[in-house]
Amino acid sequence: MNLFGLAIRSVIRKPVKSIILLLIVFVATSFIYAGWACQSASVQTQDAGRQALGASFRLEGNEANRHTRIDILSEQIGHDVSGSAGGFHQKQLPNGSWMSWADNSFETLLLEDIEKIAGTEGIADYNVTTANTVVNPVNFQRIEDPDVDQSSDQLGVSLRGNLNMAYDFDVQKGNIVVGDGRLIEPGESDVCVISRELAELNRLSLGDVLQFNNWREREDSTVYDAVIIGIYDSVQKIMPIMAGDTYRAENIIFTNLRFPEKAEGCDGDPLFQYATFWVEDVDAYEEVKARIREVDINWERYDFLDNTGMSDTMAENFNDLSDMSSLLLVFVVVSAVLILSFVFLFWMRNRIHEIGILLSIGRSKLQITAQVLAEGLLIGVAAFLLATLTAPAVSKGVADYLVGYQIQLAEEREQADAGMVASSLLSESETQVLGVSVKIGMDVILFAFLSTAGIVIASVFFSGIYVMRQRPKEILSQMS
């Protein structure tokens, strides 16, 4: 009888052990299928908040490019030379040290670039936000901590201008809600929205006029008026960008877009920090993004981000799905080899009489090991066929679990980074997995088959050492 004939009879003769081995190989092969399938799985997601509020992009300055431009301008001015170029300045102080700084014209996002992007097909609306601008409060008191030394503080308040306040980051996140009055709308000028705490301290109400001027020239600079059209309440305190009462949440005042530069003493020289662009059709999000990338501006100057918060993070995390599936493959293969090696070793030790008889009739140890390998491959093929039938469902389940785990990590990271409180619309905003597409193609089937065969061969090899290292006489002596 040939090798496979003996192997078939041996498998049938011991059904319990064969079934156990079949189940082990079946589970290992199923997870191997899942690992290979997840390597090429595609994940479709939808941010519920994006559907509720509309998808958006955010433009901000690129820090690496900023440093590059500084280096270029510094070279242009010259080393150890006081001077200015392109909004960058360097100066030697009386004590011999050097000071350098950049003004608004250097730091700002370029309005012409913003307007080019806003004109892209598919953009429904956009907003521009200024940096928090320190100014001097002329006819009202700011909120101060009486126990804090204010000598190092600018003793001012912060202005933040918006083209459309409804699109301000803290408004969108729900950190603030305008309880009295309304938000600032596009086209308005010389208007402001203040905090409830500031209004109560100064007994201010809607329609009152606040006055501001340059905090560095409090006595001589021009005073500018802004009418209060709204009073906001903090759902969660706005995170200050710097230490000091000037930047504390209660002292942040929202204005129309071009007011901060006037009060700062830089009329006509704004400092635009962010620009947000809202997509008209959320289903065309990626197409609009591609069109924006084709706009003729100096993209090296900017970072272009997904402003919906989760989707870029999720995309980045889903890229890790391949890494996680690779770890799954390694874990399954190593575990399966170890477990099957012990199973085959146990199998051989309980077949010592059979091995002794085969040796006594002239079979070599290599032939005996080959027969065990044939038995393992027969069971492996059966397990592989069963796993192939269940592979789509098992692979889909594993991929769904891994994606769900990635979503949980992304949401926890987003909350930790932003420390945000969601608005009424965003409170239900979750990134939903619309579909995890797992395809079991011929390449996956081939990889799974080779992996299963490799596991069986490696297991028989390691367990076969038990037989190969013993002399025939030692094996025969154990039959008694």
Side-chain angles (χ1 to χ4, degrees), residues 44-90:
Q44 298 84 44
T45 65
Q46 172 179 293
D47 191 343
R50 174 187 291 177
Q51 296 298 323
L53 296 174
S56 64
F57 302 105
R58 180 167 168 169
L59 189 74
E60 58 185 50
N62 179 275
E63 189 64 23
N65 177 262
R66 177 181 181 274
H67 287 291
T68 299
R69 289 188 289 127
I70 287 176
D71 292 340
I72 293 173
L73 293 175
S74 180
E75 287 283 346
Q76 182 178 332
I77 297 170
H79 293 294
D80 300 330
V81 176
S82 296
S84 302
F88 176 75
H89 314 273
Q90 60 187 32

Side-chain angles (χ1 to χ4, degrees), residues 340-408:
L340 288 178
S341 295
F342 285 115
V343 170
F344 279 117
L345 179 61
F346 178 76
W347 200 347
M348 287 185 176
R349 295 190 65 174
N350 282 275
R351 295 171 64 180
I352 195 67
H353 286 77
E354 178 185 346
I355 293 174
I357 292 173
L358 291 173
L359 287 172
S360 65
I361 62 175
R363 290 291 183 90
S364 67
K365 289 186 290 184
L366 185 60
Q367 289 176 314
I368 295 171
T369 303
Q371 179 181 328
V372 175
L373 175 60
E375 295 170 12
L377 290 175
L378 286 173
I379 294 175
V381 169
F384 170 77
L385 293 176
L386 290 175
T388 301
L389 294 176
T390 60
V394 173
S395 299
K396 180 71 161 55
V398 172
D400 285 341
Y401 173 79
L402 293 179
V403 169
Y405 179 68
Q406 292 287 1
I407 290 176
Q408 181 182 352

Side-chain angles (χ1 to χ4, degrees), residues 228-248:
I228 300 173
I229 64 170
I231 299 174
Y232 69 83
D233 297 289
S234 297
V235 179
Q236 177 164 308
K237 294 292 185 182
I238 301 173
M239 295 298 293
I241 61 172
M242 294 181 63
D245 285 333
T246 294
Y247 297 97
R248 66 185 296 163

Side-chain angles (χ1 to χ4, degrees), residues 9 47 55 62-63 67 86 121 123 128 133 135 150 160 178 197 216 251 256 267 306 327 349 362 388 407 411 430 451:
R9 292 187 61 180
D47 191 343
N62 179 275
E63 189 64 23
H67 287 291
E121 180 185 355
I123 295 296
V128 184
T133 304
V135 296
Q150 302 291 342
R160 186 194 299 175
V178 175
E197 295 84 354
R216 295 183 178 87
N251 287 329
N256 55 283
D267 194 8
D306 180 343
L327 291 176
R349 295 190 65 174
T388 301
I407 290 176
E411 289 176 342
E430 296 178 354
S451 299

Side-chain angles (χ1 to χ4, degrees), residues 123-143:
I123 295 296
D125 204 354
Y126 72 103
N127 183 46
V128 184
T129 303
T130 70
N132 280 23
T133 304
V134 179
V135 296
N136 175 52
V138 176
N139 66 337
F140 66 98
Q141 293 182 349
R142 69 175 192 159
I143 295 175

Side-chain angles (χ1 to χ4, degrees), residues 53-204:
L53 296 174
S56 64
F57 302 105
R58 180 167 168 169
L59 189 74
E60 58 185 50
N62 179 275
E63 189 64 23
N65 177 262
R66 177 181 181 274
H67 287 291
T68 299
R69 289 188 289 127
I70 287 176
D71 292 340
I72 293 173
L73 293 175
S74 180
E75 287 283 346
Q76 182 178 332
I77 297 170
H79 293 294
D80 300 330
V81 176
S82 296
S84 302
F88 176 75
H89 314 273
Q90 60 187 32
K91 178 182 179 181
Q92 187 174 27
L93 301 177
N95 62 6
S97 62
W98 283 86
M99 178 179 68
S100 63
W101 71 98
D103 59 28
N104 290 358
S105 65
F106 177 89
E107 301 284 6
T108 187
L109 304 184
L110 301 180
L111 187 59
E112 56 267 29
D113 290 347
I114 295 173
E115 291 175 343
K116 283 183 181 180
I117 296 175
T120 303
E121 180 185 355
I123 295 296
D125 204 354
Y126 72 103
N127 183 46
V128 184
T129 303
T130 70
N132 280 23
T133 304
V134 179
V135 296
N136 175 52
V138 176
N139 66 337
F140 66 98
Q141 293 182 349
R142 69 175 192 159
I143 295 175
E144 292 185 357
D145 188 338
D147 298 324
V148 173
D149 180 13
Q150 302 291 342
S151 59
S152 60
D153 190 81
Q154 294 98 324
L155 303 178
V157 294
S158 298
L159 302 185
R160 186 194 299 175
N162 281 283
L163 179 64
N164 187 345
M165 187 180 169
Y167 292 150
D168 182 87
F169 182 79
D170 284 302
V171 174
Q172 288 293 306
K173 290 297 185 181
N175 292 338
I176 63 171
V177 175
V178 175
D180 297 342
R182 60 179 177 81
L183 299 170
I184 300 170
E185 299 176 354
E188 294 190 277
S189 61
D190 301 332
V191 292
C192 65
V193 175
I194 65 174
S195 67
R196 178 75 59 185
E197 295 84 354
L198 203 59
E200 292 177 350
L201 175 65
N202 294 277
R203 298 182 180 179
L204 299 170

Side-chain angles (χ1 to χ4, degrees), residues 14 43 62 94 96 98 158 202 270 280 333 408 413 428 459 470:
K14 300 177 180 180
V43 184
N62 179 275
W98 283 86
S158 298
N202 294 277
E280 185 175 17
V333 170
Q408 181 182 352
R413 186 179 297 114
E428 299 178 356
S459 301
Q470 296 187 73

